[in-house]
Amino acid sequence: MNHIAVIGAGQLGSRHLQGLASLAVPTTLYMVDPVQDSLDRARQRFQEMPANGHVTALQAVRNIEELPDRVDLAIVATTAEVRLMLMERLFSQRTVRNVVLEKVLFQREEEYGRAGQLLTDNGVKAWVNCPRRIFPIYSRVLDFFQQDPVRSMQVHGGDWGLGCNCVHFADLFCFLAGTVVEEYDTGLVDKGFYAGKREGFVEFGGTLIGKAGKTSLWMTAVNGSTARHLITIRGEALTCVIDEVGGQAWFIDADGRWHSEAFNLPYQSQMTGTVATAILAGDDCGLPTYLSSAKVHLPLIRSLHTHLLQSGVDTSCCPIT
């Protein structure tokens, strides 16, 4: 019997639960949240899924202390400011084999090293939920650029959440270009910050520019605009344009000939079951490991925090989630 816990039963946590409803191995699920309304909503969403005899129970608990002694997989779907504290509590009180962490991982630079050491000390295998790597369309894009390595990637659109979502595109860039951006230029980021969608968190607008050798990543979010974002990926000769919202990709060859392909982006509820099955079997789940994702996260956290300080904002962290 596998024991899987989803910690944080909010919007994203409830979608993870829906995905786990399809597991084909004997499993007891646990959802952990101190707010009863969140637990009730998550249970309702779980019950919308087809019945599955392999998932023998779904237990709603208010705190980590009510989990079983052994947890085969924990999905930590809380907001960033409490994630490390919850990991410390969980690992000190329960034996955990595997963990999937939501992004943004943490708000303070020093927490990345502490979390890495915590995982090592407790022998926990860890991944981060940056799932564009496992979207079929991006496997197709990766194949397209096999003979013409990616040199630049641009993400441009309306208010798509430069702070809370930039790590998704930085990770996609790492996947496609095979390199990590180590430093970002915030000179074109709007001064200060904007109110985030979640209370207590902030958002950014403008353009964040990353360089990695001869490759570059440009991410632009126009504050107040509702224009959907487009992703443009270029090699020396090849170009690909992705419209994620419209579900359309254009592939342009060296002679300017192009063709389009339609696609559907999978929902979180369609991915979590597959990811969990691979992890429990000891296979590659396709998500970035904690160590590789921390390398993608840290330059972003460092740059955005510095930008806030230079804008006159007195803060000890980068309050994004």
Side-chain angles (χ1 to χ4, degrees):
M1 176 66 67
N2 292 289
H3 299 285
I4 299 179
V6 177
I7 301 173
Q11 175 72 13
L12 195 50
S14 65
R15 300 307 182 190
H16 281 300
L17 279 171
Q18 285 184 316
L20 294 169
S22 65
L23 287 173
V25 292
T27 303
T28 297
L29 296 179
Y30 300 82
M31 51 182 179
V32 184
D33 201 290
V35 180
Q36 188 61 47
D37 286 347
S38 296
L39 293 173
D40 292 341
R41 182 174 58 252
R43 182 180 292 279
Q44 180 181 2
R45 287 180 174 172
F46 178 82
Q47 291 172 342
E48 294 171 358
M49 307 303 291
N52 176 7
H54 295 289
V55 180
T56 58
L58 171 61
Q59 298 189 23
V61 299
R62 301 288 288 272
N63 56 70
I64 287 170
E65 289 73 19
E66 297 178 66
L67 291 174
D69 291 339
R70 188 195 82 248
V71 176
D72 297 287
L73 172 62
I75 299 175
V76 184
T78 64
T79 48
E81 84 284 10
V82 299
R83 186 166 291 120
L84 181 59
M85 176 198 64
L86 287 172
M87 290 171 62
E88 290 171 337
R89 283 180 55 198
L90 177 63
F91 297 164
S92 69
Q93 299 181 38
R94 297 294 182 267
T95 299
V96 181
R97 293 176 53 213
N98 305 284
V99 65
V100 172
L101 305 171
E102 273 300 337
K103 59 84 220 163
V104 172
L105 280 168
F106 312 106
Q107 298 177 337
R108 292 176 168 82
E109 286 187 54
E110 65 271 16
E111 292 182 327
Y112 288 82
R114 287 169 55 192
Q117 191 62 53
L118 185 67
L119 292 166
T120 298
D121 291 346
N122 289 276
V124 182
K125 296 180 179 179
W127 296 265
V128 178
N129 191 35
C130 290
R132 278 176 171 77
R133 291 170 176 251
I134 58 176
F135 289 1
I137 185 58
Y138 289 118
S139 293
R140 172 75 181 90
V141 173
L142 185 65
D143 290 341
F144 181 67
F145 285 100
Q146 279 300 305
Q147 303 305 317
D148 184 20
V150 170
R151 294 300 185 193
S152 70
M153 184 173 121
Q154 296 174 305
V155 185
H156 192 287
D159 192 4
W160 51 263
L162 183 62
C164 66
N165 289 316
C166 61
V167 69
H168 277 302
F169 296 112
D171 182 75
L172 177 62
F173 176 79
C174 177
F175 174 65
L176 295 175
T179 187
V180 176
V181 173
E182 296 184 353
E183 186 175 359
Y184 288 89
D185 182 350
T186 60
L188 295 179
V189 174
D190 298 346
K191 186 176 180 179
F193 63 89
Y194 303 105
K197 292 181 180 179
R198 294 182 176 90
E199 186 177 354
F201 301 100
V202 306
E203 259 306 342
F204 298 90
T207 299
L208 189 61
I209 305 170
K211 299 285 187 179
K214 295 182 179 180
T215 63
S216 61
L217 171 63
W218 294 62
M219 297 182 284
T220 301
V222 181
N223 185 55
S225 171
T226 58
R228 62 196 193 195
H229 65 274
L230 293 178
I231 304 169
T232 303
I233 305 155
R234 299 179 186 272
E236 293 290 347
L238 304 178
T239 301
C240 181
V241 179
I242 305 286
D243 178 358
E244 290 189 334
V245 178
Q248 201 73 28
W250 293 267
F251 296 88
I252 306 167
D253 69 17
D255 296 319
R257 296 186 298 263
W258 64 274
H259 72 277
S260 63
E261 296 182 16
F263 64 89
N264 293 310
L265 293 184
Y267 295 113
Q268 187 63 62
S269 59
Q270 297 172 312
M271 295 185 290
T272 303
T274 301
V275 168
T277 298
I279 289 174
L280 294 174
D283 298 331
D284 180 10
C285 70
L287 297 177
T289 65
Y290 174 78
L291 289 178
S292 64
S293 190
K295 292 178 182 178
V296 173
H297 271 75
L298 274 167
L300 289 166
I301 296 298
R302 186 179 301 119
S303 298
L304 291 174
H305 184 212
T306 299
H307 171 74
L308 286 174
L309 295 175
Q310 292 175 342
S311 297
V313 180
D314 184 13
T315 177
S316 62
C317 69
C318 181
I320 56 177
T321 192

